[in-house]
Structures are given as structure tokens and as C-alpha cells.
Amino acid sequence: MKLVAQGIAAAAFVVMLHSGYSAREYLLYSKSIGRQDLALPIEIVLECLASLLIMTVALVIGVGELKPISYEAEMKRYSIDGVFSRPSFQVFNHRGRYLRPLVDQPAIKQ
């Protein structure tokens, strides 16, 4: 099914390229005969929209089964040791060494 969907999407892409080529040729022809109308014929517009629709449907069908993205499903793959042991986030140059002497001093009684 996936291979068929990819084939249909590729064919729709070729049809979309053809509609772009047709639009370019039409505009060049219109310019060469001196017509200033920049509106494309309905056939070219419909060809482009139909190929876009067919390509979108083919890509959605051919994508396959989606994976869960919830936090619980992701965390089932890891242990708690693997999640919280990130050495790159450990900071040893912090203000604790300057605050420690203040904590060790006895409280002043008044």
C-alpha cells in the first residue's frame, strides 16, 4: 500500500510540474502577443489543484502507522537513572561554597 501511495504521489507531482510549465508557457505566449491579462485559464488552475489534492491524499495514506507522542509513552523507554543522570547539566561552580560558612555559624542570641 505504501509503495502504491508513493507512486500516486510521484505521478501527482509530475502533473503539478506540468501545470507549472503550462502556466509559464501561457504567460510567455500572452506576453508575446501583447495581452496584459495575467489570469490563468481554468484548466491550468484545476490541473494544479487536482494534483495537489491527489498528492496530499496519497501522502496521508502512505505515511503508515503513527507513533504515540505522549510523555508517558516516551518515558516507558527510559529508566529513572537514565533520565536524571545528565552530567552536562551538573554545575560544580555555584554559590554554595560561599553560603556554607553562613550556615555553619551559630545563631546569635539576643
Side-chain angles (χ1 to χ4, degrees), residues 31-99:
K31 200 179 280 187
S32 70
I33 62 172
R35 193 182 318 167
Q36 295 298 326
D37 185 23
L38 295 179
L40 292 174
I42 192 71
E43 295 88 11
I44 296 175
V45 174
L46 289 178
E47 181 182 7
C48 182
L49 291 177
S51 65
L52 178 68
L53 179 69
I54 291 170
M55 188 183 331
T56 303
V57 170
L59 290 175
V60 167
I61 289 172
V63 76
E65 188 175 340
L66 299 175
K67 296 179 182 178
I69 59 169
S70 66
Y71 183 72
E72 291 84 17
E74 184 67 24
M75 293 312 291
K76 286 180 183 176
R77 298 182 346 180
Y78 302 108
S79 68
I80 194 70
D81 296 329
V83 173
F84 290 116
S85 65
R86 294 188 175 157
S88 62
F89 287 115
Q90 294 176 354
V91 178
F92 295 106
N93 296 330
H94 53 77
R95 63 180 178 237
R97 64 178 166 209
Y98 301 112
L99 295 176

Side-chain angles (χ1 to χ4, degrees), residues 4-23:
V4 173
Q6 288 176 348
I8 293 172
F13 181 71
V14 170
V15 170
M16 187 176 286
L17 286 177
H18 179 264
S19 68
Y21 178 76
S22 298

